[in-house]
Amino acid sequence: MSFETVFITGATGYIGGEALYQLLNNKEGRKFNITALVRNEAKSEKLLKATNHQVSTVIGTLDDTELFKEQILKNDVIINTADVDNVPHAQVLHDTLIKIDRPTILIHTSGTSVIGDDLSADKNATTKIYSDVKDIDEINKLPEKQPHRPVDKLVLDIEEHNPKVKTVIISPSTIFGLSDGYDKIISIQIPMLINACLKRGKAFSVYNGNYIWSHVHIKDLGDLYYLLLSKLITGDKSLPTGKKGYYFGAYILKDEGSVTTRASAIEHTWAEVSKVVAQELKKRNLIESDEVSHADPEDVVKYTSFDFGPYLWGTNARSRADNAYAIGWKPKYSDPNSFWGSIGPDVDHIVKSG
Ligand SMILES: NC(=O)c1ccc[n+]([C@@H]2O[C@H](COP(=O)([O-])OP(=O)(O)OC[C@H]3O[C@@H](n4cnc5c(N)ncnc54)[C@H](OP(=O)(O)O)[C@@H]3O)[C@@H](O)[C@H]2O)c1
């Protein structure tokens, strides 16, 4: 089985753009016949031009059930990066793949909000850290109310019903850095915080901001998409897939030692991020002070117009990518300078793109 045909969703986005770039520029010299789902003619033209016509496009959305089914049936590999919370779309994916009668690969995207805790004014940093190896049973039993969980559950169920389909989920933590992609090349979490601080005229944290998340550079994440694809294509029997095929996009520490409520070198607190955002904005005379004030969730929704906004910076989600390291992933940007040094360029990109 050669697995030459690929259907990708979200290719004009930040994650999907990087995943596509890695496919088109892979070091193994593999050639794929790639079809990308795009939402309109303008996006199609943009993607075709930016990739030098190395991909084909189909115009539609995740909710175009027939078109989506047709593409699943036509292609050997499905890479899903468009919307991690679209349950009807995930149901179609599930129902089509459990019945498919030929080897198919699915690489699906989630996010570590799935392990996030609740918002609370009285809360601080947690010592709870999730490993995608040691805590995989707990991850498979996370409650439905957790963000992304309803879709994760459907995807995790596929392979058990149909062993001809091999599935993996990549669940990124905070993604940072500019992507090599073709349209939107900036992340969501920190850029949205920068925009909200600009709109508010001063920097803020959700409550005290003392909540810890892990992070991953977009180029390291793109490497992981390709590494998994490459191993799935060669049929590597040792590769965890299905219910064990959950891969956090995060880093690990060589000697973790005892866990404290302080962020380690591969993590950040949102209070620290807000401080650096404040300094970078002040340095460019975009706000008057580099002080960070506390905001409550209602206030945050006002400045983001996004109900989920407070959860992006008001929760703990500490993850360790044990699965990815075990299969030979070698990230290049896990040093703290890469993360903290990415906030200034994010501000510049936002200012430049208006
Ligand atoms: N960035 C992060 O830090 C991060 C971390 C973990 C999880 N995630 C999740 O991963 C997903 C992708 O994130 P991203 O940062 O790559 O977002 P993004 O840059 O906004 O890209 C989203 C992509 O999906 C496409 N899309 C969205 N809804 C669609 C629909 N209904 N039908 C067809 N295409 C659709 C967009 O098309 P257009 O170009 O037409 O808009 C775009 O190509 C999101 O659900 C996000 O919540 C992101």
Side-chain angles (χ1 to χ4, degrees), residues 57-105:
T57 57
V58 284
I59 296 176
T61 74
L62 294 179
D63 303 313
D64 291 331
T65 305
E66 287 314 312
L67 175 117
F68 193 62
K69 265 196 214 163
E70 188 190 317
Q71 289 301 327
I72 297 173
L73 295 171
K74 254 193 196 166
N75 288 281
D76 309 322
V77 178
I78 319 295
I79 302 180
N80 218 5
T81 72
D83 177 357
V84 302
D85 292 308
N86 190 323
V87 178
H89 153 75
Q91 189 72 53
V92 173
L93 187 67
H94 173 273
D95 295 353
T96 312
L97 285 176
I98 61 170
K99 287 195 220 118
I100 207 162
D101 193 25
R102 63 188 181 87
T104 304
I105 289 169

Side-chain angles (χ1 to χ4, degrees), residues 3 73 91 99 164 174 196 214 226 263 267 273 278 298-299 314:
F3 295 106
L73 295 171
Q91 189 72 53
K99 287 195 220 118
K164 284 192 177 158
T174 298
S214 305
Y226 188 75
E267 298 171 313
V273 170
E298 292 72 37
D299 204 20

Side-chain angles (χ1 to χ4, degrees), residues 9-16 37-40 43 60-63 81-86 109-112 148 171-176 183-184 186-189:
T9 69
T12 51
Y14 175 64
I15 300 176
L37 178 73
V38 288
R39 287 204 266 199
N40 54 49
K43 289 272 173 179
T61 74
L62 294 179
D63 303 313
T81 72
D83 177 357
V84 302
D85 292 308
N86 190 323
T109 307
S110 183
T112 59
H148 321 324
S171 188
S173 52
T174 298
I175 315 174
F176 66 95
D183 186 11
K184 183 168 172 264
I186 195 165
S187 192
I188 295 176
Q189 228 170 344

